[in-house]
Amino acid sequence: MRIGFGYDAHPFSEGRRLFLGGVLIPHPKGLLGHSDGDVLLHAISDAILGAAGLEDIGFHFPPSDTSTEGIESTKILGRVMELVRKEGFEIVNVDAVVVCEEPRIQPRRADIREAIARTMGVDVGRINVKGKTTEGLGFAGMRQGIEAYAVCLIG
Ligand code: MG
């Protein structure tokens, strides 16, 4: 068994669509980034890569690579799953936290868990996602962006 940890943060930006866990969430602003800005899938991808000792998503998808500009993060996570399975690993479970004042995560939690499980090719019972607020503290609390943390166990 091996454990991995991932973290990511992206700023809100006008004129972008908001994706969390591969789910399009209706919101006035999206997240800025080289990809679609899906902060949750990036944290999960880094947790999985970390568990397998396979660097991080910046290594596999460098921001300097214009061919991956605007890439769907579901494709990043799909590629990460290919890499770890090639090493002979399978996912035991993922637990993740999305930190933001808005949008509220709880009403979309089931959709997000199912979308992540589908992208990873694992049972939804192995994926857990929690939403947290910071009572107005920090950039997430000031509604400037969203951050996400994830741990993953593989075996
Ligand atoms: Mg990112």
Side-chain angles (χ1 to χ4, degrees):
M1 296 275 227
R2 299 171 62 123
I3 192 167
F5 174 66
Y7 169 79
D8 199 21
H10 284 260
F12 278 124
S13 176
E14 304 273 359
R16 301 260 305 178
R17 292 187 298 165
L18 178 61
F19 290 95
L20 286 174
V23 176
L24 178 61
I25 311 244
H27 197 66
K29 294 176 183 174
L31 294 173
L32 194 61
H34 175 70
S35 64
D36 61 11
D38 194 325
V39 67
L40 175 55
L41 292 192
H42 297 175
I44 291 172
S45 296
D46 265 352
I48 297 167
L49 288 171
L54 293 171
E55 308 281 352
D56 60 21
I57 54 176
F59 176 83
H60 296 283
F61 298 89
S64 55
D65 181 358
T66 51
S67 74
T68 56
E69 187 117 31
I71 189 175
E72 296 100 322
S73 298
T74 50
K75 287 186 180 156
I76 294 175
L77 181 55
R79 176 70 184 136
V80 165
M81 289 305 299
E82 283 176 10
L83 290 168
V84 295
R85 286 191 171 120
K86 205 162 75 182
E87 296 292 315
F89 294 115
E90 195 38 79
I91 303 298
V92 177
N93 75 306
V94 167
D95 189 24
V97 180
V98 180
V99 184
C100 58
E101 295 294 321
E102 55 185 17
R104 287 191 60 233
I105 301 303
Q106 199 277 334
R108 302 307 304 273
R109 190 151 63 170
D111 296 341
I112 291 171
R113 287 178 69 192
E114 274 168 33
I116 295 167
R118 196 164 51 240
T119 300
M120 293 175 64
V122 302
D123 190 279
V124 69
R126 294 183 183 276
I127 309 297
N128 196 65
V129 175
K130 306 186 286 284
K132 294 294 284 185
T133 62
T134 58
E135 311 288 341
L137 294 172
F139 67 84
M142 290 188 280
R143 296 174 161 82
Q144 293 171 343
I146 300 181
E147 58 186 332
Y149 301 81
V151 287
C152 176
L153 201 64
I154 62 174

